[in-house]
Amino acid sequence: MSWGTELWDQFDNLEKHTQWGIDILEKYIKFVKERTEIELSYAKQLRNLSKKYQPKKNSKEEEEYRYTACKAFLSTLNEMNDYAGQHEVISENMTSQITVELARYVQELKQERKSHFHDGRKAQQHIETCWKQLESSKRRFERDCKEADRAQQYFEKMDADINVTKADVEKARQQAQMRHQMAEDSKADYSSILQKFNHEQHEYYHTHIPNIFQKIQEMEERRIVRIGESVKTYAELDRQVIPIIGKCLDGIVKAAESIDPKNDSQLAIEAYKSGFEPPGDIEFEDYTQPMKRTVSDNSLSNSRGEGKSELKFGGKSKGKLWPFIKKNKLMSLLTSPHQPPPPPPASASPSAVPNGPQSPKQQKEPLSHRFNEFMTSKPKIHCFRSLKRGGATPEDFSNLPPEQRRKKLQQKVDELNKEIQKEMDQRDAITKMKDVYLKNPQMGDPASLDHKLAEVSQNIEKLRLEAQKFEAWLAEVEGRLPARSEQARRQSGMYDVQNPPAVNSCAQDRESPDGSYTEEQSQESEVKVLATDFDDEFDDEESLPAIGTCKALYTFEGQNEGTISVVEGETVYVIEEDKGDGWTRIRRNEDEEGYVPTSYVEVYLDKNAKGAKTYI
């Protein structure tokens, strides 16, 4: 089966067919190229997706990834990143092994096809030229024969006519002979050209064209084989990454199998455990007997065990349900400043005066104990309200529950130890360098390292002192230090109140050996207050009504939590008067409220407003 013998007369169709084959090859190259672009785009989208859900550094999300379920999710993200890499490999291999190679082959194929069909057209043109020569000689032979025949007839006519002279007859005879000779010459020429044409035509149809068409057939078959190999390579490139993709999927499955709900539950306990004991039973309050509140020196746990009736809540259990107090009221108690208000500025530029000196940092008790104290003693509200003024987190993390405080302190100690080790390594390196300089003075001056060595030693000493401080706090939390005196443990439900000074003093934090928090109090006069009054305060509306207005006499920069900035001459609403601690609570709009020093504003109270005082 050969195109040269079977398709000897289909030169034009073969030309179209081979061009169609090249178009098919170029179409396949375009298909593979688009596939590589899709693979790259898919890999890019997968990488972006993986990056989008990666935990941010130094954020809360990093702590969440301690849980096994989150670790499995993180492993999935990492495996998907590797999965995307395999699609990039597919794209690169298809580009280099298919697209580039086929594009080069197409150019070579076009050149070869052009050469073959050029030879075919050349052979066609040659046989057409031979045919034209044959036709020309044939027409000339035919014309000469006709001319010879006419000359012969004319001679015979002249020879038969008796009136024609002998010279005319001779002339006609010579003309007839010349025409016959010309016919014979044309005949010989025609015969020669015909033989030559037949030979060329035989060579054309049996040698030249078969050879050319055979080459074109071989070229076309190589193209078809090349497409088949490319398709096979296309599949093999996909198959090569399947084991690695399988490993990625196996990694995801392994990560899923590593999820441990019990471990996650334990981590949740470690993360949120406060260390407090649950509240005890509420005592029965008998209103049929006269009751008198007395000051108790026992702890809250003792008062519950003895069932004393002095802790009265007016039949309400809000003292034990403090987490459900309205948020606006709760925050108003927690966010007022715990420092004395700054004095009014004496200079002409009040805004340049700082907000006053900070009061000594006070330790903070857990909120549950603070609330237990408030539920039983209203005069303590102002002291509690100043608990979080300033907003800064205590250095010893005393604002946290015991268990969380222990974890934070342990973490801080570990960080300091790492820093100490780092500084010690640096000191050792400097010491070795100094020894090298001493042995080889040409390498450097040993005295130039003394300053750096002293600086590093000083840093080590500072870090050690800092670590000792946190270790002491940690030891206190873990019960390794001696417990504080019993006089520091007081009943949190009752308070002994003295006449308050100009600046309210808050009780210092204390921790008993069993982990419960108590307060150290000075001896105060006996005051009996029912917790019902305090409970009723939390039943008010969330947003306090305005009881007047005030005008800022000076500019105040509210830099601490719970305070608010005002500009000289600004008029705002008053929602809470000065309770004796030197601070007035104001509101600028529904979302902005806070405390400013009373001495910085001029207050105009509305006499008809609820809670407003009448000044005489």
Side-chain angles (χ1 to χ4, degrees):
M1 182 181 63
S2 172
W3 285 5
T5 57
E6 303 293 338
L7 303 176
W8 59 271
D9 57 345
Q10 300 297 322
F11 184 88
D12 294 338
N13 287 332
L14 286 180
E15 187 176 15
K16 294 178 181 178
H17 178 76
T18 53
Q19 181 60 45
W20 169 82
I22 292 177
D23 293 341
I24 287 293
L25 188 57
E26 290 180 335
K27 184 183 293 186
Y28 180 73
I29 294 173
K30 185 178 180 182
F31 158 74
V32 176
K33 186 176 180 180
E34 292 183 3
R35 163 72 190 277
T36 60
E37 293 174 354
I38 291 174
E39 291 291 344
L40 282 179
S41 176
Y42 181 49
K44 182 179 180 181
Q45 292 179 12
L46 284 179
R47 289 191 183 278
N48 291 339
L49 180 66
S50 177
K51 183 179 179 181
K52 177 181 178 181
Y53 287 95
Q54 287 284 349
K56 298 179 180 178
K57 294 183 178 180
N58 301 325
S59 66
K60 186 179 179 181
E61 291 183 0
E62 282 192 332
E63 298 181 1
E64 295 175 354
Y65 280 85
R66 297 182 296 110
Y67 297 94
T68 57
C70 294
K71 286 181 179 179
F73 177 54
L74 183 59
S75 298
T76 301
L77 296 179
N78 295 332
E79 295 295 345
M80 289 306 297
N81 199 45
D82 296 339
Y83 186 89
Q86 297 309 307
H87 285 276
E88 292 176 346
V89 170
I90 292 176
S91 175
E92 293 173 0
N93 291 339
M94 285 187 175
T95 300
S96 61
Q97 300 183 30
I98 298 180
T99 306
V100 174
E101 293 295 330
L102 285 184
R104 187 185 301 111
Y105 177 70
V106 165
Q107 297 301 322
E108 296 174 356
L109 192 64
K110 287 181 177 179
Q111 291 296 330
E112 183 180 359
R113 175 182 176 276
K114 182 179 179 181
S115 174
H116 292 326
F117 281 98
H118 176 72
D119 294 341
R121 288 192 183 92
K122 188 176 179 180
Q124 272 187 337
Q125 291 174 359
H126 178 70
I127 197 66
E128 287 175 359
T129 302
C130 293
W131 172 256
K132 288 178 181 178
Q133 290 178 356
L134 178 63
E135 287 293 322
S136 176
S137 65
K138 180 181 178 181
R139 285 193 297 270
R140 186 170 60 253
F141 172 58
E142 183 181 6
R143 184 178 66 249
D144 290 345
C145 287
K146 289 180 180 179
E147 290 291 334
D149 187 48
R150 281 195 298 270
Q152 181 65 28
Q153 290 177 2
Y154 179 73
F155 167 70
E156 291 176 355
K157 181 179 178 182
M158 291 295 290
D159 188 39
D161 190 356
I162 60 173
N163 295 322
V164 178
T165 63
K166 187 177 180 180
D168 291 336
V169 173
E170 184 63 25
K171 184 179 180 180
R173 185 183 65 76
Q174 292 179 356
Q175 185 69 24
Q177 288 178 351
M178 184 184 69
R179 291 295 179 181
H180 276 289
Q181 185 63 38
M182 290 179 63
E184 289 294 333
D185 293 341
S186 296
K187 180 180 179 181
D189 185 52
Y190 171 66
S191 176
S192 174
I193 293 175
L194 179 61
Q195 291 178 1
K196 182 180 178 182
F197 174 78
N198 288 333
H199 175 73
E200 293 293 338
Q201 180 176 258
H202 184 275
E203 291 291 327
Y204 176 79
Y205 286 112
H206 294 84
T207 304
H208 297 306
I209 288 299
N211 290 337
I212 294 173
F213 282 11
Q214 184 65 31
K215 292 178 181 179
I216 294 175
Q217 180 181 357
E218 292 173 356
M219 177 194 73
E220 185 68 8
E221 289 176 354
R222 287 199 306 271
R223 178 192 65 81
I224 296 172
V225 171
R226 192 63 178 267
I227 288 181
E229 292 176 350
S230 299
V231 172
K232 184 178 180 181
T233 304
Y234 178 88
E236 289 296 331
L237 293 178
D238 257 340
R239 184 172 294 151
Q240 287 175 3
V241 301
I242 288 178
I244 303 178
I245 292 178
K247 290 182 180 179
C248 295
L249 299 178
D250 291 341
I252 295 176
V253 172
K254 185 177 180 181
E257 293 173 350
S258 67
I259 295 177
D260 186 357
K262 297 296 183 181
N263 184 68
D264 287 359
S265 299
Q266 182 61 33
L267 289 176
I269 293 174
E270 295 176 0
Y272 303 113
K273 181 180 179 181
S274 66
F276 293 129
E277 294 293 334
D281 296 337
I282 299 176
E283 301 292 338
F284 175 77
E285 300 171 9
D286 189 358
Y287 290 93
T288 60
Q289 299 178 3
M291 294 176 291
K292 182 177 180 181
R293 298 178 63 123
T294 59
V295 178
S296 173
D297 292 336
N298 295 329
S299 64
L300 177 62
S301 58
N302 291 338
S303 64
R304 288 174 179 167
E306 296 170 5
K308 292 185 178 181
S309 63
E310 285 81 355
L311 297 178
K312 297 187 293 182
F313 297 92
K316 299 180 180 180
S317 60
K318 291 183 180 179
K320 299 296 187 294
L321 300 177
W322 61 269
F324 304 101
I325 296 174
K326 294 180 180 179
K327 181 179 181 182
N328 194 26
K329 291 290 185 177
L330 175 60
M331 295 309 297
S332 69
L333 291 175
L334 294 178
T335 58
S336 57
H338 78 280
Q339 61 182 13
S347 63
S349 178
S351 62
V353 178
N355 292 344
Q358 298 284 337
S359 62
K361 188 174 295 186
Q362 300 184 5
Q363 296 177 335
K364 301 175 184 178
E365 295 185 0
L367 295 180
S368 60
H369 290 270
R370 287 286 181 183
F371 269 94
N372 286 336
E373 294 164 4
F374 287 139
M375 299 315 241
T376 55
S377 177
K378 189 172 183 177
K380 284 293 291 180
I381 291 178
H382 301 307
C383 183
F384 181 81
R385 188 181 62 190
S386 64
L387 176 62
K388 276 211 166 184
R389 289 183 179 177
T393 303
E395 187 181 14
D396 61 351
F397 305 107
S398 57
N399 61 319
L400 298 176
E403 183 65 22
Q404 301 303 317
R405 182 187 180 195
R406 182 193 65 78
K407 290 179 60 179
K408 287 290 185 181
L409 290 173
Q410 183 64 54
Q411 182 179 355
K412 187 68 176 178
V413 169
D414 294 340
E415 292 176 358
L416 289 172
N417 288 333
K418 289 181 181 179
E419 292 181 10
I420 291 173
Q421 185 61 41
K422 184 178 178 181
E423 293 290 336
M424 291 177 66
D425 293 341
Q426 186 177 359
R427 183 186 62 183
D428 295 341
I430 295 174
T431 303
K432 291 180 180 179
M433 186 178 294
K434 184 176 180 180
D435 293 339
V436 172
Y437 287 174
L438 289 173
K439 295 178 181 178
N440 302 286
Q442 68 274 10
M443 297 183 65
D445 183 14
S448 62
L449 300 176
D450 292 340
H451 175 70
K452 184 65 176 178
L453 193 60
E455 182 181 351
V456 173
S457 299
Q458 187 177 4
N459 291 341
I460 293 175
E461 188 62 28
K462 288 181 180 179
L463 290 173
R464 282 177 176 172
L465 292 176
E466 189 78 4
Q468 289 176 4
K469 178 173 64 175
F470 280 94
E471 286 174 354
W473 285 331
L474 180 61
E476 181 180 359
V477 172
E478 294 178 346
R480 293 200 297 264
L481 293 181
R484 300 184 179 180
S485 61
E486 279 294 322
Q487 294 179 355
R489 304 173 187 169
R490 299 294 176 87
Q491 166 72 327
S492 60
M494 292 293 183
Y495 270 74
D496 296 336
V497 181
Q498 286 184 341
N499 293 330
V503 180
N504 290 354
S505 61
C506 287
Q508 300 295 320
D509 290 352
R510 292 297 181 265
E511 186 179 354
S512 60
D514 59 355
S516 62
Y517 279 72
T518 59
E519 288 191 358
E520 184 178 3
Q521 306 170 358
S522 59
Q523 292 184 350
E524 300 171 328
S525 60
E526 181 175 335
V527 177
K528 305 176 184 65
V529 181
L530 292 176
T532 333
D533 298 333
F534 181 77
D535 293 336
D536 292 339
E537 274 198 13
F538 285 91
D539 292 335
D540 294 340
E541 295 295 326
E542 292 189 14
S543 180
L544 295 175
I547 61 175
T549 60
C550 67
K551 180 179 180 182
L553 302 176
Y554 312 98
T555 297
F556 173 71
E557 300 291 341
Q559 298 178 350
N560 295 329
E561 185 178 348
T563 62
I564 187 173
S565 301
V566 292
V567 182
E568 181 179 355
E570 182 181 5
T571 302
V572 292
Y573 292 102
V574 177
I575 59 175
E576 184 177 343
E577 297 179 73
D578 186 352
K579 301 298 185 179
D581 55 359
W583 296 90
T584 298
R585 189 177 179 188
I586 64 172
R587 177 189 297 142
R588 180 176 287 110
N589 50 49
E590 294 182 357
D591 298 325
E592 295 184 59
E593 63 179 49
Y595 290 89
V596 296
T598 305
S599 57
Y600 274 57
V601 295
E602 184 176 0
V603 180
Y604 307 96
L605 296 179
D606 185 359
K607 295 182 179 180
N608 296 325
K610 180 180 178 181
K613 292 181 180 179
T614 304
Y615 296 94
I616 301 177

